[in-house]
Amino acid sequence: MPALEAVLAEKDVRAAHTVVVAGDVVSGPQPREVFDRLKAMGDRVVWVRGNADREAVAMARGTFTGVVPDPVSPWAAGELTAAQVEWLDNLPTTVTFGDVLVCHATPRDDEEVVLVDSPISRWVDVLGGVPDSIRTVVCGHTHMPFVRQVDRRTVVNAGSVGMPYGAPGPSWALVTPEGVQLRRSALDPAKAASQIVQTSTYPGRQQWVDEFLLTNYSDTEALDAFRARAEG
């Protein structure tokens, strides 16, 4: 919640016509609070379902059969109401605004990994089914922001608001007809950590803030961890 509030308080976010959330909304120590904050913004927020949201639905319904990705995910899934689970289950995996497509990982798969330094041949394959009319593809999933060109398209990774890798601070992207800007919002990590520890009921909340707020994984560490999965 502290990271989300920091981004929503940004002048350009307050002025934006649409706020797009590219998935993985509830897998943290304040799942209901984050969900309700975004839901209260009404139609101004457009949601895309991420792999963690899909997994949360399965965990909440007792149908999850995969490897549990982290300790907070099953706890967070158990905190969701039936209405919240239903909402997440019915979210689209992509949304399009004119010539801009937003997805979670890639347009064809919600957990496929492609990195800023993935070969152009890999990117061409991943985007092969995207209509020629789409000139900008916005994604997330790996929590590391970047902008790169792929065969005359612009690919944007907006990073992550709540669990950024690389430089500290909530990361997001401003997309306008004039182009794309990668942004980071100011956040006092100690203050944010204290707020989460005091308000969350997640048993592992202190360890969570130690790992994702009071420190953060570098882009080098994250790239090394993801590289094997990015080879396709």
Side-chain angles (χ1 to χ4, degrees), residues 120 123-124 127 135 148-155:
I120 192 69
W123 276 104
V124 169
L127 300 180
R135 307 316 308 161
R148 67 162 291 173
Q149 294 298 118
V150 177
D151 194 20
R152 292 173 291 184
R153 280 195 178 105
T154 300
V155 177

Side-chain angles (χ1 to χ4, degrees), residues 12-211:
D12 284 330
V13 177
R14 296 198 313 269
H17 178 271
T18 302
V19 175
V20 186
V21 181
D24 290 5
V25 175
V26 297
S27 293
Q30 296 172 298
R32 287 178 297 183
E33 295 89 337
V34 168
F35 184 101
D36 289 342
R37 178 68 174 90
L38 292 170
K39 192 73 162 55
M41 295 174 67
D43 292 342
R44 185 165 169 256
V45 174
V46 174
W47 305 54
V48 171
R49 193 184 69 190
N51 66 295
D53 304 313
R54 171 175 52 79
E55 292 164 359
V57 169
M59 290 176 185
R61 293 176 173 170
T63 59
F64 183 76
T65 58
V67 177
V68 176
D70 52 61
V72 75
S73 292
W75 174 86
E79 293 293 294
L80 301 175
T81 67
Q84 290 171 335
V85 171
E86 185 72 15
W87 175 272
L88 292 173
D89 192 30
N90 288 306
L91 291 178
T93 56
T94 65
V95 294
T96 302
F97 305 89
D99 63 355
V100 178
L101 181 149
V102 182
C103 58
H104 177 66
T106 72
R108 67 186 185 182
D109 191 298
D110 66 9
E111 56 184 358
E112 187 172 32
V113 174
V114 197
L115 303 171
V116 63
D117 59 353
S118 292
I120 192 69
S121 57
R122 169 85 169 125
W123 276 104
V124 169
D125 174 57
V126 165
L127 300 180
V130 177
D132 291 341
S133 58
I134 298 298
R135 307 316 308 161
T136 301
V137 176
V138 182
C139 60
H141 190 51
T142 60
H143 301 217
M144 292 178 290
F146 65 79
V147 178
R148 67 162 291 173
Q149 294 298 118
V150 177
D151 194 20
R152 292 173 291 184
R153 280 195 178 105
T154 300
V155 177
V156 183
N157 190 307
S160 173
V161 171
M163 296 173 63
Y165 299 157
S171 59
W172 52 283
L174 180 68
V175 182
T176 71
E178 288 71 43
V180 176
Q181 298 177 33
L182 296 179
R183 299 286 189 88
R184 286 192 183 270
S185 297
L187 182 71
D188 182 329
K191 184 177 179 180
S194 177
Q195 180 182 333
I196 290 172
V197 169
Q198 291 176 29
T199 59
S200 173
T201 60
Y202 173 47
R205 57 192 179 276
Q206 184 61 61
Q207 181 180 350
W208 192 94
V209 299
D210 288 345
E211 186 172 1

